[in-house]
């Protein structure tokens, strides 16, 4: 197995980064603004996708360069933690129309609000199963200190 990657056919990560910057510039005016449930759902989907990309890099890099793999593992864990916070923020935001605040436990039985409103919960639970396979509870609960272990 080569230690350096072949050049990618097309590198889409810079386009995703530019799209996020463009979205922020166009859709988030200066001043206070409550994040909508649609926005939080889209951010959660983005973070879960980024988690998948980091997971692929971690599993491929770790056996070849353990120190780099360990850093990627840490980044993957932090991205999951960010997705978990976005999921919590979604459940803290008011429902459209009624303004009612749902509880975090509301997503556990399935789709209490009906599809597609809680597809975020399905995505979150599907990814959580994968996260538990690759991370220990201590990994997921540890605060980030910025200390280097190598």
């Amino acid at each position: 197995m080569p230690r350096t990657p072949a050049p990618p056919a097309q590198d889409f990560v810079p386009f995703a980064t530019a799209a996020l910057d463009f979205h922020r510039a166009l859709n988030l005016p200066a001043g206070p603004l409550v994040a909508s449930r649609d926005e939080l759902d889209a951010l959660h989907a983005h973070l879960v996708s980024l988690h998948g990309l980091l997971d692929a890099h971690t599993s491929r890099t770790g056996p070849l360069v353990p120190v780099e793999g360990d850093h990627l593992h840490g980044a993957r864990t932090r991205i999951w933690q960010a997705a978990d916070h976005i999921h919590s923020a979604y459940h803290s935001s008011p429902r459209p129309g009624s303004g009612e605040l749902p509880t975090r436990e509301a997503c556990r039985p399935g789709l209490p609000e009906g599809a597609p409103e809680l597809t975020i919960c399905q995505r979150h639970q599907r990814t959580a199963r994968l996260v538990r396979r690759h991370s220990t509870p201590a990994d997921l609960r540890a605060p980030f200190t910025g200390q280097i272990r190598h």
Side-chain angles (χ1 to χ4, degrees), residues 17-29 39 42-43:
T17 303
L20 286 173
D21 290 341
F22 192 62
H23 171 79
R24 186 188 67 234
L26 289 179
N27 296 320
L28 297 178
E39 177 86 2
L43 286 171

Side-chain angles (χ1 to χ4, degrees), residues 23-103:
H23 171 79
R24 186 188 67 234
L26 289 179
N27 296 320
L28 297 178
L33 178 70
V34 174
S36 71
R37 291 181 121 205
D38 290 338
E39 177 86 2
L40 294 172
D41 185 35
L43 286 171
H44 186 269
H46 184 77
L47 287 173
V48 166
S49 183
L50 183 56
H51 179 271
L53 178 61
L54 284 170
D55 185 49
H57 281 301
T58 301
S59 62
R60 295 181 73 195
T61 302
L64 298 173
V65 187
V67 173
E68 181 182 356
D70 190 43
H71 286 293
L72 289 170
H73 174 80
R76 178 184 65 191
T77 300
R78 300 304 175 254
I79 290 297
W80 169 249
Q81 290 170 332
D84 193 43
H85 283 290
I86 294 291
H87 182 245
S88 296
Y90 180 92
H91 285 291
S92 298
S93 67
R95 289 182 177 153
S98 71
E100 181 183 339
L101 295 176
T103 65

Side-chain angles (χ1 to χ4, degrees), residues 2 8 39 48 80 93 105 107-108 111 115 128 133 139 145-146 148:
E39 177 86 2
V48 166
W80 169 249
S93 67
E105 290 76 30
C107 71
R108 300 208 194 291
L111 292 173
R133 290 183 195 156
D139 287 339
T145 61
I148 298 174

